[in-house]
Amino acid sequence: MRSDLLFGAAAVILTISFPAAAGGLTYKDRSGIWLPTACARPQSPANLAPSSKMSANDLNGQVRLYNDYTAQAQAYMDCVSQEAARDATAAQQVIARDAQKSMEAMEQELSHIQAKLKKHK
């Protein structure tokens, strides 16, 4: 089986088999895109604009906003990494299982044809 078809099959399998927990995988024109679905990307703080005219309290507030955003960003990146790892494992298991089924079906067909040929000797 061509690798682009196999990868495309994995995309369909992920979309159908794991919709609640898996990221979104699309595959078109020999190019794949995976996006997380279980991780909420934090919104960038809009009010981060320190200036030389700011009071120390305001500047400290800006630093706190930045630090909070940094912590949220790290949690998001951890979530994405974990979701990607889960999806990769799940896809690998599905592909291996279904590839085995396809090979077993081919072996059965060959055995069936061989049995017919032996019968007509």
Side-chain angles (χ1 to χ4, degrees):
M1 181 182 282
R2 291 185 7 215
S3 63
D4 58 333
L5 291 176
L6 190 61
F7 190 71
V12 171
I13 290 166
L14 281 174
T15 303
I16 293 170
S17 301
F18 311 104
L25 179 63
T26 56
Y27 188 75
K28 182 179 177 183
D29 298 329
R30 300 183 146 216
S31 179
I33 297 171
W34 178 90
L35 296 171
T37 58
C39 307
R41 184 183 174 123
Q43 190 168 0
S44 179
N47 299 338
L48 287 182
S51 73
S52 59
K53 297 177 184 182
M54 242 183 204
S55 71
N57 283 340
D58 289 342
L59 186 56
N60 285 339
Q62 295 270 309
V63 170
R64 276 192 297 279
L65 280 175
Y66 173 77
N67 289 340
D68 289 346
Y69 180 65
T70 300
Q72 293 170 10
Q74 184 61 55
Y76 171 75
M77 291 184 286
D78 292 345
C79 179
V80 169
S81 177
Q82 292 166 6
E83 184 176 355
R86 284 190 308 269
D87 285 358
T89 298
Q92 184 178 23
Q93 291 170 350
V94 168
I95 291 168
R97 180 196 68 209
D98 291 347
Q100 185 63 38
K101 285 180 184 178
S102 294
M103 290 184 288
E104 288 170 359
M106 188 79 256
E107 288 173 348
Q108 287 176 354
E109 184 177 331
L110 288 170
S111 293
H112 181 71
I113 293 169
Q114 185 181 36
K116 281 184 176 181
L117 289 173
K118 285 183 180 180
K119 193 182 220 183
H120 292 289
K121 276 188 174 183

